[in-house]
Amino acid sequence: IVSIAAGANHTLAIAETGALWSCGRGRDGQLGLGTNMDHPRLTRIPTLEGVRVVSASAGVTHSMALAADGSLFTWGNGQHGQLGHKSLEGTGIAELDPAPLTPDARVTAIAAGAYHSMALTVGGALLAFGRNDQGALGTGDKVNRWSPTRVNLHGEDADDGKCRRAVQVSCGASHTLVL
């Protein structure tokens, strides 16, 4: 195991080969094992077999994985949009297996908050999706986002001519930090 991520009640672990493993509470499908069962021991996520995972992040009831080729996968409870799958809006249905997302640019970094998700693109754009009632997405409003939404990084003076690129992102339970 070369990297780990801790959610509220579950763990993700990346092996040296890029295989992704999970254990812990699985009642919302956050383990990615195709069931809502808890698993006390690390179990390889079969849907991602053949995918080289380079980064993983875990929220309260959802998980994210980033592959070496920039592919992004999300699974678990998507009731606030934190999986980024517009098709789940209003259903509260969980994705029990990792499902690919196709943002408009290659993703280079990911972070999961309690009920929101963030992704950085190769060009330095910040994408946000999920719960936003406390402004965690940085979109300037309190509307949940059901698909990856580009966050304006220009601040109040978009015409100052400065190019702003995000290089790192980290999420707390209900907030996000971007460098």
Side-chain angles (χ1 to χ4, degrees):
I1 301 298
V2 295
S3 182
I4 56 173
N9 296 295
H10 71 291
T11 301
L12 302 173
I14 303 172
E16 192 171 340
T17 61
L20 186 62
W21 299 67
S22 66
C23 68
R25 186 177 192 160
R27 295 176 195 166
D28 289 286
Q30 65 266 48
L31 299 181
L33 300 174
T35 72
N36 287 26
M37 305 278 297
D38 296 348
H39 287 267
R41 299 178 62 87
L42 280 174
T43 304
R44 187 170 181 177
I45 299 177
T47 310
L48 293 177
E49 198 165 313
V51 174
R52 184 171 177 79
V53 174
V54 295
S55 181
S57 192
V60 172
T61 58
H62 76 290
S63 300
M64 308 173 69
L66 177 63
D69 66 0
S71 300
L72 176 59
F73 298 88
T74 60
W75 62 96
N77 186 322
Q79 76 181 71
H80 301 288
Q82 65 266 44
L83 301 183
H85 299 288
K86 179 86 171 144
S87 62
L88 295 178
E89 185 172 1
T91 67
I93 295 173
E95 287 283 344
L96 300 179
D97 290 310
L101 273 179
T102 53
D104 61 359
R106 183 173 185 224
V107 173
T108 58
I110 57 173
Y115 301 104
H116 70 288
S117 302
M118 307 297 282
L120 293 182
T121 70
V122 69
L126 179 65
L127 304 176
F129 42 106
R131 188 174 184 173
N132 197 31
D133 62 333
Q134 295 180 23
L137 302 183
T139 54
D141 57 33
K142 294 188 177 185
V143 177
N144 292 353
R145 296 300 195 284
W146 290 86
S147 58
T149 302
R150 193 174 291 253
V151 177
N152 178 358
L153 298 177
H154 294 291
E156 304 215 358
D157 189 5
D159 297 324
D160 66 1
K162 293 181 182 175
C163 178
R164 291 178 178 85
R165 292 177 29 141
V167 295
Q168 186 177 355
V169 63
S170 183
C171 294
S174 298
H175 69 288
T176 302
L177 299 170
V178 179
L179 179 62

